[in-house]
Amino acid sequence: MPASATRPQAVLFACGLNSVRSPIAAALFAQMFGGAIYVGSAGVRQGELDPFAVAVMAEIGLDISRHKPITFEELEDLEGLNFDLIITLAPEAHHRALELTRTSAVDVEYWPTTDPTGVEGSREQRLDAYREVRDQLLARLRQRFSTPRAGNE
């Protein structure tokens, strides 16, 4: 698979509000690669961190409770958009990433990901929607970035 032939040095995950999908993806990615690959997340607009996202990540031992949602513009002001791969999880984030990287050598991939915030029902039904997003992102990350985990063997 050519897309995963060269592993990026820095990956940005982006969605609409940087409150559910992109922080979940960034935390999963960070767990997979530790400090070997820089990871960030941003949104088109700034939202509030979603407590259901925090809960479903805590279920698998990942704490995202300190995540502060940030926009593309804020990220650019703070550290620049120095990423060689941007993975967008929502249509608006994909369009914004393409606008921002028009003149850059940055790969942009679109991974359509359901927004679980619109699901109604009991707390458990809502959590199930978030778990489904988490598990789909984990599967997609494993598929996209699957490489032998052994060192120099």
Side-chain angles (χ1 to χ4, degrees):
M1 177 185 320
S4 61
T6 51
R7 184 172 287 172
Q9 300 296 306
V11 177
L12 176 67
F13 291 93
C15 64
L17 298 174
N18 192 223
S19 61
V20 178
R21 294 168 286 183
S22 53
I24 287 174
L28 292 168
F29 187 88
Q31 182 188 44
M32 289 173 76
F33 294 102
I37 300 174
Y38 182 80
V39 63
S41 68
V44 176
R45 298 174 318 283
Q46 187 168 343
E48 296 288 324
L49 182 59
D50 190 301
F52 286 113
V54 173
V56 300
M57 294 305 284
E59 290 175 352
I60 62 167
L62 294 176
D63 180 7
I64 63 168
S65 64
R66 290 187 189 86
H67 173 74
K68 301 284 185 248
I70 188 170
T71 64
F72 278 106
E73 288 71 24
E74 291 169 318
L75 180 66
E76 192 168 22
D77 289 346
L78 287 173
E79 60 183 70
L81 289 174
N82 300 316
F83 296 90
D84 46 4
L85 176 60
I86 299 175
I87 297 174
T88 60
L89 307 171
E92 62 185 331
H94 189 67
H95 295 301
R96 188 74 184 116
L98 291 175
E99 284 174 21
L100 291 170
T101 61
R102 250 191 336 257
T103 59
S104 310
V106 178
D107 290 325
V108 179
E109 294 181 14
Y110 178 44
W111 296 3
T113 306
T114 304
D115 180 358
T117 61
V119 172
E120 296 185 11
S122 69
R123 175 177 171 78
E124 197 59 32
Q125 289 169 319
R126 294 180 69 198
L127 281 170
D128 281 344
Y130 284 74
R131 289 179 187 116
E132 188 173 319
V133 166
R134 176 198 66 202
D135 296 346
Q136 287 174 351
L137 285 169
L138 182 57
R140 185 76 190 255
L141 286 165
R142 286 180 174 148
Q143 175 190 22
R144 168 61 173 86
F145 297 100
S146 65
T147 55
R149 294 178 67 88
N152 296 328
E153 294 179 40

